[in-house]
Amino acid sequence: MSIDPPTGLRPETLAVAFGYDPQSASGSVKAPIYMTSTFVYPSAQHAKDVHEAYFDGTGPQVGQSNHIYSRLGHPGLDILEARLAAIDGAEAGAAFCSGMAAHSSIALTYLRPGDSVIHGRPIYGGVDMLYNTIIPQYGSHAAAYLDGTDEADVRAAAETAMARGPLKLIIAETPANPTAAIVDLALMARIADEVGERQGHRPLVVVDNTLLGPFAQRPIELGVDLCLTSLTKYCGGHSDLLAGGITGRRELIDSLRMMRTTWGNHLDPYTSWLVLRSLESVHVRTERAMANARGVAEFLRDHPKVAGVTYLGFLPEGSRQREVYDRQCKAAGSTFSFHLHGGEAEAFRMLDRLRLMKLAVSLGGSETLICHSASTTHYAVPPEQRGAGGITDGTMRLSVGLEHIDDLIADLAQALDAV
Ligand SMILES: *Cc1c(COP(=O)(O)O)cnc(C)c1O
């Protein structure tokens, strides 16, 4: 049940106003934007107390939101982080200047040379690059599981990883980009416990919850350690900002925030305000987008030129994926992939005929976006790994928006005629 114990309120209610007191800003109903890089100290002693509280976690100012410099924290960030945590049902939250800034911060905070990590495949291209190209240059190793609902497969990835070094992170993007492949979060937590017993320290389970967002899937309630969301997508919701959020236990978030101070990848005051505004309506927007997505997915499933649709709402009854979906997700989302008969040529012909749907990467905005995965979002992923993740040359990812469903289907129908 998603009720926040301290407030007794549900996430939809917390999304509207939690974390902001109008009395702190002349009664303004909406939080102001504090466009400042630095903050005045009322006295020299106060300045010392604030620094002691921030860096040592002791002193008279601990627990008060006194600010020093906007890279360390600012009022808009405080409100946003409190609200993200409240919506996710977590103790604390941290916001970053993009989803990848949040992912990179987790890697750099929790991995040291020699450590290892496991992740699923397919996975967001940037995350694939982070763990398989960038992080190995710093001496860490990654192993991938291909079916995040198959205990033997995940266990084998964990063994491969542990043979190379202590397993510190279990990364689960679910549903995964772009095919909506599902990862069993209870299984990840169980494997983390077992690995913890063997290693003497438990790896952290990190979930990328971007594709369903905070209302359709609640990873913290499912027992994961850190919940990461690219706020650029559904939470921002209008394709006009980049931001990333992480929620979880206070001590984990505190170490991420402390590192963020040095890396300088915090979220700025203006974008923090934009995200706060968007968070108020994310549950309403995603409900409509998901209803549209179902209609579009059903149209595509029945179309003779379409070889398949990987939409969560179509998971077969009795399958392992369906069992996990029923246990873990509240809705099927509005981003999914479909595969045309044929390859790149057929896909490009269709894409170039679309009039309404926009050909662009990204997802979760108010407008419908479509892209050809192999040549765009997953261009940098080697073809055999793409294939293993279910991405063919005819695969297209669709992020269904808020337009009228009949207009969306009409646009797809006329474009498919060109194939
Ligand atoms: C977009 C995305 C990211 C990266 O977020 P940015 O805000 O673009 O940096 C990470 N994970 C998933 C699943 C995404 O869709």
Side-chain angles (χ1 to χ4, degrees), residues 98-101 103 124 127 173 177 208 210-211 230 232-233 242-243 363:
S98 71
M100 281 313 301
H103 270 292
Y124 184 70
V127 179
E173 180 180 307
N177 200 342
D208 187 330
T210 301
L211 257 74
S230 169
T232 310
K233 312 295 169 56
L242 279 105
L363 54 100

Side-chain angles (χ1 to χ4, degrees), residues 258-391:
M258 193 55 89
M259 293 293 207
R260 182 183 64 186
T261 291
T262 303
W263 292 322
N265 56 3
H266 67 289
L267 192 62
D268 68 277
Y270 180 60
T271 314
S272 297
W273 181 87
L274 275 178
V275 176
L276 274 174
R277 193 176 76 152
S278 288
L279 280 175
E280 296 183 22
S281 59
V282 60
H283 61 285
V284 182
R285 285 184 277 108
T286 47
E287 275 169 22
R288 169 58 66 86
M290 288 182 195
N292 279 351
R294 173 164 284 279
V296 170
E298 284 169 355
F299 165 78
L300 288 168
R301 180 178 56 182
D302 298 336
H303 199 285
K305 292 182 178 168
V306 175
V309 179
T310 41
Y311 169 64
L312 287 180
F314 296 161
L315 289 173
E317 203 69 70
S319 66
R320 201 166 54 215
Q321 280 78 6
R322 176 64 182 266
E323 186 273 316
V324 177
Y325 171 80
D326 287 342
R327 172 154 50 81
Q328 188 168 294
C329 312
K330 293 180 195 289
S334 61
T335 296
F336 63 90
S337 289
F338 65 99
H339 319 279
L340 282 187
H341 289 297
E344 188 183 275
E346 287 75 11
F348 282 13
R349 267 207 299 283
M350 191 210 117
L351 290 171
D352 287 338
R353 274 285 289 268
L354 288 166
R355 296 183 191 132
L356 176 63
M357 296 186 178
K358 293 188 172 58
L359 181 51
V361 299
S362 198
L363 54 100
S366 47
E367 68 289 302
T368 298
L369 299 179
I370 188 166
C371 66
H372 179 249
S373 305
S375 61
T376 60
T377 52
H378 290 66
Y379 180 78
V381 180
E384 63 283 3
Q385 286 175 19
R386 281 205 298 264
I391 302 168

Side-chain angles (χ1 to χ4, degrees), residues 2 113 115 129 146 198 298 319 330 364 419:
S2 300
D115 288 345
M129 189 137 176
L146 295 181
R198 276 173 59 190
E298 284 169 355
S319 66
K330 293 180 195 289
V419 176

